[in-house]
Amino acid sequence: MPEREKSFVTTRGVVILPSDTETFPWPERAKRAGLTTIGLHLDPVLREAFVKSGKGHAFMASCKRLGLEVEYESHALNNLLPRDLFAKYPEMFRMNDEGRRVPDANLCVSNPDGVNRVCENAASYARRYPPTTHRHFFWTDDGQPMCRCPKCRGLSDSDQALLLENEMLKAIRRNDAMATLAHLVYHGTLDPPSQVKPLPGIFLEFAPIQRNYRQPIRNRDAPEYARLQDALDANLAVFGADNAQVLEYWLDVSFHSNWKRDALARIPWERSITEDDAAYYTGRGIRRITTFAVWLDGAYVERFGDPPLDEYGRILRDIRKKRK
């Protein structure tokens, strides 16, 4: 029986930067740890540049040789709807709480021209630089609000995101009938959509950035943990668990360094916490688990020693069935 069928967790992954692969042998170490998937955290424009580069060719060849899947995950709307269009087409862009159209983030999902442009650009990138899994991740802009125009303001940020994702998926599937697309539950989209229904092929991606790593996520004593748990369950009720994915921060050097490269911090790794977290997620039927591992590279190893990558992989591999 293939290795990935032995574990309840079928996707065991990391999300890294392409630059992390330059000083750390990521494909080889991911394979050794029993991971199945490497996600690259880069926007569509940088994706194109990397995939076309010599380093990108070498990375992709290594992953193919080792049997590793490759995906691309990023906040993408600033690229899919270029900001320089605002001067000519302000109606494509979101309205803020003061009633002004602004090009700072996202778009107006009630404007068909803006939605169509986003969808066509997403479909183009998906066709030219596809993930090996048919799973696509074109997130809304990082932690930024959606539109507050008269047509959009009655929709929550989650509903607006899902409305756009449904349209993107239809566009991407014109070239790839097997394509699926993530709905990111994160910051302003923690609450589930209530007015828009996901099309088949939209899957839940849960990224609990509000948590800490001193206690397992199942602990309800902390209010932020209770909210995360309730949000996960409410979103699973909408999207289902079959293809749901968790995107954690267990190995994310950038997160634990407060995104300050000159203040690089050691990963606060606690095996028991990660084990308990994994049991919590699989107890809800989730079989796809990944973690950011941005800035886990040669500089990190030189300063702090070998990361707990093998231990992380072993935790996910050892889950044989759904646990509570």
Side-chain angles (χ1 to χ4, degrees), residues 63-116:
C63 290
K64 184 176 182 179
R65 173 175 54 84
L66 295 169
L68 294 167
E69 306 284 10
V70 178
E71 297 175 338
Y72 307 96
E73 304 198 30
S74 72
H75 301 283
L77 283 187
N78 265 278
N79 296 113
L80 299 180
L81 184 65
R83 304 293 103 172
D84 58 10
L85 292 173
F86 180 76
K88 190 172 182 180
Y89 305 108
E91 67 278 3
M92 293 183 181
F93 293 82
R94 80 179 193 94
M95 183 176 287
N96 64 15
D97 291 327
E98 287 72 46
R100 291 184 294 106
R101 297 281 179 183
V102 288
D104 56 354
N106 295 316
L107 80 164
C108 175
V109 299
S110 297
N111 181 271
D113 293 332
V115 170
N116 287 341

Side-chain angles (χ1 to χ4, degrees), residues 29-86:
R29 288 300 304 272
K31 180 67 175 179
R32 190 179 92 178
L35 304 185
T36 66
T37 309
I38 295 179
L40 295 177
H41 187 45
L42 72 174
D43 66 43
V45 173
L46 294 178
R47 177 198 305 194
E48 180 173 12
F50 178 71
V51 171
K52 286 182 174 179
S53 70
K55 292 176 182 177
H57 284 300
F59 171 80
M60 297 296 289
S62 293
C63 290
K64 184 176 182 179
R65 173 175 54 84
L66 295 169
L68 294 167
E69 306 284 10
V70 178
E71 297 175 338
Y72 307 96
E73 304 198 30
S74 72
H75 301 283
L77 283 187
N78 265 278
N79 296 113
L80 299 180
L81 184 65
R83 304 293 103 172
D84 58 10
L85 292 173
F86 180 76

Side-chain angles (χ1 to χ4, degrees), residues 206 208 211 215-219 225 228-229 248 277 280-281:
F206 178 67
R211 67 169 296 186
Q215 57 185 325
I217 197 164
R218 74 169 71 243
N219 187 345
Y225 273 41
L228 287 171
Q229 292 171 35
E248 265 286 358
D277 290 344
Y280 178 81
Y281 292 133

Side-chain angles (χ1 to χ4, degrees), residues 35-222:
L35 304 185
T36 66
T37 309
I38 295 179
L40 295 177
H41 187 45
L42 72 174
D43 66 43
V45 173
L46 294 178
R47 177 198 305 194
E48 180 173 12
F50 178 71
V51 171
K52 286 182 174 179
S53 70
K55 292 176 182 177
H57 284 300
F59 171 80
M60 297 296 289
S62 293
C63 290
K64 184 176 182 179
R65 173 175 54 84
L66 295 169
L68 294 167
E69 306 284 10
V70 178
E71 297 175 338
Y72 307 96
E73 304 198 30
S74 72
H75 301 283
L77 283 187
N78 265 278
N79 296 113
L80 299 180
L81 184 65
R83 304 293 103 172
D84 58 10
L85 292 173
F86 180 76
K88 190 172 182 180
Y89 305 108
E91 67 278 3
M92 293 183 181
F93 293 82
R94 80 179 193 94
M95 183 176 287
N96 64 15
D97 291 327
E98 287 72 46
R100 291 184 294 106
R101 297 281 179 183
V102 288
D104 56 354
N106 295 316
L107 80 164
C108 175
V109 299
S110 297
N111 181 271
D113 293 332
V115 170
N116 287 341
R117 190 175 292 259
V118 167
C119 291
E120 291 305 314
N121 284 334
S124 176
Y125 283 111
R127 182 184 69 254
R128 290 180 292 139
Y129 311 104
T132 63
T133 59
H134 303 279
R135 290 166 65 84
H136 298 269
F137 303 80
F138 292 109
W139 303 331
T140 55
D141 288 327
D142 193 358
Q144 299 302 306
M146 299 295 285
C147 186
R148 304 293 182 256
C149 79
K151 291 183 179 180
C152 290
R153 69 168 62 119
L155 295 171
S156 69
D157 284 8
S158 299
D159 282 301
Q160 290 187 45
L162 181 55
L163 188 155
L164 178 64
E165 289 152 4
N166 282 342
E167 295 304 313
M168 276 198 285
L169 179 62
K170 288 189 285 188
I172 294 169
R173 280 190 164 178
R174 290 200 294 267
N175 298 298
D176 179 7
M178 297 173 62
T180 60
L181 180 67
H183 172 81
L184 183 66
V185 173
Y186 167 91
H187 281 313
T189 56
L190 270 182
D191 293 330
S194 60
Q195 300 183 62
V196 180
K197 302 300 182 185
L199 291 178
I202 300 290
F203 64 90
L204 169 66
E205 184 174 35
F206 178 67
I209 196 171
Q210 293 87 349
R211 67 169 296 186
N212 65 61
Y213 291 84
R214 297 182 297 275
Q215 57 185 325
I217 197 164
R218 74 169 71 243
N219 187 345
R220 288 189 69 87
D221 292 340

